[in-house]
Each structure stands twice: as C-alpha cells, then as structure tokens.
Amino acid sequence: MSESRASGDRFAVELDPAMLQRHIDELGAIGALAEGGLYRGVYTPAWAEAMALVQGWLEALGLETRRDAVGNLFGRLPGTESQRAVLSGSHIDTVRQGGKYDGALGIHAAIAAIGALKAAYGRPRKHLEVYVICEEEGSRFHASFWGSRALNGRIAPHEADSLQDADGVAIGQAMRERGLDSSAIPSAKRDDVDAFIELHIEQGRILDDEGYDAGVVHTITGLRQLRVRVGGRQDHAGTTPMDLRRDALAGAVEMIARLTGAAEAMGRPAVATVGSIAVAPGATNVVPASCTFTIDTRHSDPGKRLELLAAIERHLQEVAARRGLELEVQQLIEHHPVPMTPAIRDLVEACAQAEGLRYLSMPSGAGHDSQIMAQHVPTGMVFVPSVDGRSHTPAEYTPVERSVPGVRVLARALYRLAY
Ligand SMILES: [Zn+2]
C-alpha cells in the first residue's frame, strides 16, 4: 500500500521487531514478583529502575531526555521549524500482579515508531516526543492519571498530602524520596502539545476473537462506581417465617440479578459489575442484617449510559421498597465518556487503511491517559489485540508480530502530524 497520493510523500519506515521484543522482555523483568506478575507502583524502587532503563534507551536513540516535576519522562527528537510538540507514549506503572504489556507496550511502540522515523527521515518539523507517563493505574495511591493530570494542570494542591498509600505515606513524601519536589507540580503543565497518540493493548477479547489487526478508539467509556448498603433486620433463621423477614442479602441478590440483567438487556458495550460484597453478621443461622456491595457500570454512549444508570437506580429502589429494606447509595467515581478528537481518530483510521489493516472502530471499556489528554489536546488511540482478552494479570500477552501492525499505524500517524 502507498500513501503517496494522500501525503505527497512515500512512507517507508523499517520497524525493528527484535528491539520491540527486547524492550518488552527487559522492562517486563522489572518489578517481577515471586508469586508471579509485576508490580511497579509509582515512586517505588522498581518504578525508579524502570524509568532509568527507559531513559537509557531514549538516550541511546539520540533523543533529548527530560523529566518533569512529577517524574514524567520525555525523549525528544527536536523539530526544525516549530516549537510545538507531538507526543506518543503511555504509562510505566502497573497494577499489582500486572503484566508486561498494559501501558508498557505504548512506551515501546512510541520508541520503535519515533526511532524508525528518525532513521528514515531525520528531524521532523515539530518536536516529536516519547512520553513515558509516571502513573495511571492508581495502584499505589488513588492518584489515577497522575502523570497526564500533571501535564494538563489538573492536580489539586491538596493532593500531594492527602493521597496516601496503604502504609500511610503521602504521595508528596514518596516524590521527595525520588528527588522530586511536590511544590513544583504546577510547572509540569505544558501548553505546547499539538497532538497525543497512545497505543495500548485492548485489554478485552473483541479484536482477538474477531481476528482484527488493530482497533481505532472512538470514545473512552463513561464510568460510574457506586457503593450500595442494604439494611434489613437481624433475626433467628429458624423461628422467623419467610414472609416476616427483612433479609438484607436476599434483597441485595435480587438487586444484583436485576442490575446485571439491565446491562445484558442493553447489549454491548453496556456493562455492570458487582465485584465486591460483604454480609453482616455473616452467620449460617442468622438472617442478614446488612449487605454492602459495589457496582461498576460503564457505557461509551452518553445517552445510553444515563439510561442504564436510571434503570439500575429504579431496580434498587423497587426491590428495597417491596422488601422493606433500607437503601444507601454512595457514588465513588464518576467519569463521563470522552470522545477521541475526530481529526486524530480520522487520521489514525486513514493510516490503518494505508497499512492495509483489518481494523475496528471501537470504544474503550477501560480508562486511559488519553481520556485526560483528549480534554486538553487533540488525542487518539490505537489498540492492538490482547490474546484471549487477558489483562491486569500475568497472563497478559500480545505477540510482537501482532503488535507491529499497530506500531506501523502509529508511525504513519506521527509522520503525518510532525513531518
Ligand atoms: Zn493501561
């Protein structure tokens, strides 16, 4: 396939799959746990080791490296004409017992793409930068999107002290241990970014099941997480007839069946998950007095999302009223759906077509740094298949030959944006 008519240039870069594989293996060895999988929480020793490794790769490629106030790492191929920058990358932190690909592959892809562009075309017009994002997962602190929030000036002043890890260490203190000064966080804000493209594993099974080479994300899903407490009456399990009970768990079970049923009835990409449940007092011969469970519900379409949320609310209320149960619903997290920037999404699709790929335009059911970036700078995402849809587990896997098509799409898109 040739892109010559569209761009006025022949596009011919040579990617290095062996380097990509080496980077996957070397970074994937840092933070390895005895019980399997990886953990690279932000500002931990494993995180610092990973950052140093990647900085070495960037320098070996001849890129100018810089770290900002929160420890985001940039590797710049300087532009010849403009002081504006085009960025590509992803996060270097992991969940506990995570895999080698979530986040990391987006870093490896940016390095491979920018390295190949440098070799084929030399310096771009605009700065072209590998963006190694310090934190996204919220796995050590509830800091989610810490790196991309810093870059966009979205960290509140109190967070350096108020965000604490499981040992009570504040994130500001953890930063000091890495030589970073939390009072300088506002200096991480950038106003010179023209575009950001993130390559990421899908973390689901649609591309793999249906044999696609890549996905082009149109929207990052909206998410609401709730904690529901159902209150009943604690009674003797032998002496209290069924019709006289206010059984908190029986009510919760009916609520859960109905709310998951509502998402099933709506169809893809609606999801509703109850992933955590606790029953009190929790005895074999006692009618449960209370039941607390969480709901995680997502949809990429704003209208459908509200429809699903309304249906869930209705089911909770109806079941509680009929069974005479108390109901308390607490909202934990609310993220609205974030569409990717149409011009970048179209560009990524055009590049996938130019590569001759079989690709799918799709929503992302997982959150990504791109949902923060897209609210400030033109942003797009490329997905590569996750074998069997596995993610946030050591079983996460994408063979290098199934990453390369997406990396080529990324390289083409960066070429169009920066050269
Ligand atoms: Zn990720």
Side-chain angles (χ1 to χ4, degrees):
M1 301 288 287
S2 164
E3 207 188 10
S4 54
R5 253 166 299 169
S7 66
D9 295 291
R10 265 182 61 80
F11 183 80
V13 300
E14 289 291 332
L15 285 176
D16 182 354
M19 181 183 77
L20 196 58
Q21 185 65 61
R22 197 165 62 244
H23 286 177
I24 291 167
D25 293 338
E26 286 182 24
L27 185 60
I30 297 181
L33 302 170
E35 63 269 35
L38 304 176
Y39 177 54
R40 289 194 300 264
V42 68
Y43 309 138
T44 59
W47 175 92
E49 189 186 345
M51 276 291 187
L53 176 71
V54 175
Q55 184 158 358
W57 294 342
L58 299 176
E59 285 165 2
L61 268 180
L63 305 180
E64 297 172 0
T65 62
R66 177 178 77 83
R67 298 207 195 185
D68 70 10
V70 293
N72 286 318
L73 169 64
F74 302 90
R76 170 179 285 186
L77 182 59
T80 54
E81 287 176 23
S82 166
Q83 288 307 309
R84 307 288 299 173
V86 173
L87 271 51
S88 180
S90 191
H91 59 96
I92 198 163
D93 70 321
T94 70
V95 295
R96 287 172 200 275
Q97 285 199 284
K100 298 178 184 178
Y101 296 84
D102 179 1
L105 190 66
I107 297 168
H108 304 320
I111 293 171
I114 292 174
L117 288 168
K118 176 173 183 276
Y121 300 109
R123 286 175 62 182
R125 277 186 310 110
K126 295 178 182 175
H127 302 312
L128 193 50
E129 299 184 23
V130 177
Y131 175 23
V132 182
I133 300 174
C134 65
E135 198 275 352
E136 185 261 0
E137 296 283 6
S139 55
R140 180 177 175 193
F141 304 91
H142 291 297
S144 307
F145 311 116
W146 186 248
S148 51
R149 289 198 294 126
L151 185 135
N152 292 295
R154 287 180 55 176
I155 293 180
H158 68 84
E159 291 186 62
D161 294 321
S162 64
L163 291 175
Q164 299 190 349
D165 70 8
D167 299 322
V169 177
I171 197 167
Q173 173 63 28
M175 289 176 69
R176 275 189 290 284
E177 287 165 12
R178 297 287 154 224
L180 301 166
D181 173 8
S182 63
S183 70
I185 288 174
S187 71
K189 184 171 189 297
R190 290 184 65 167
D191 296 306
D192 63 334
V193 180
D194 262 6
F196 172 65
I197 303 184
E198 180 176 18
L199 180 144
H200 204 283
I201 54 169
E202 182 200 349
Q203 303 182 276
R205 55 189 295 167
I206 294 171
L207 296 177
D208 190 38
D209 275 4
E210 299 176 15
Y212 287 100
D213 301 312
V216 178
V217 175
H218 60 70
T219 310
I220 296 180
T221 194
L223 160 70
R224 184 178 292 178
Q225 289 180 346
L226 303 168
R227 179 180 291 124
V228 180
R229 185 189 163 277
V230 181
R233 203 176 87 159
Q234 185 171 332
D235 280 307
H236 193 291
T239 59
T240 315
M242 297 307 281
D243 57 297
L244 296 181
R245 293 183 181 200
R246 291 168 53 227
D247 181 333
L249 180 57
V253 165
E254 189 181 350
M255 291 172 189
I256 293 165
R258 285 216 201 172
L259 74 91
T260 52
E264 286 163 8
M266 190 170 262
R268 293 184 186 184
V271 290
T273 305
V274 174
S276 166
I277 188 164
V279 183
T284 313
N285 57 357
V286 180
V287 176
S290 78
C291 179
T292 303
F293 61 92
T294 56
I295 307 175
D296 173 307
T297 180
R298 308 182 192 213
H299 204 298
S300 57
D301 180 272
K304 289 277 187 192
R305 190 174 85 97
L306 294 179
E307 219 178 280
L308 178 61
L309 289 167
I312 289 171
E313 177 71 23
R314 197 171 59 244
H315 289 307
L316 297 178
Q317 297 285 358
E318 279 177 11
V319 173
R322 182 164 43 72
R323 290 176 171 266
L325 300 167
E326 294 148 23
L327 182 68
E328 286 168 39
V329 181
Q330 182 192 359
Q331 186 171 302
L332 304 177
I333 292 180
E334 169 84 338
H335 293 307
H336 294 277
V338 179
M340 297 295 94
T341 310
I344 304 292
R345 191 190 61 210
D346 291 350
L347 169 64
V348 174
E349 283 205 36
C351 293
Q353 286 164 11
E355 285 292 328
L357 300 191
R358 184 163 178 268
Y359 69 92
L360 180 67
S361 172
M362 65 188 298
S364 170
H368 296 291
D369 287 301
S370 287
Q371 77 196 64
I372 303 297
M373 296 297 289
Q375 297 176 47
H376 302 273
V377 302
T379 294
M381 281 194 91
V382 184
F383 273 170
V384 297
S386 292
V387 170
D388 203 25
R390 304 299 300 279
S391 188
H392 285 186
T393 147
E396 201 170 72
Y397 181 55
T398 302
V400 73
E401 64 273 16
R402 296 188 68 191
S403 300
V404 164
V407 180
R408 291 196 62 87
V409 170
L410 176 67
R412 259 184 203 273
L414 295 176
Y415 177 72
R416 296 275 292 271
L417 289 165
Y419 280 82

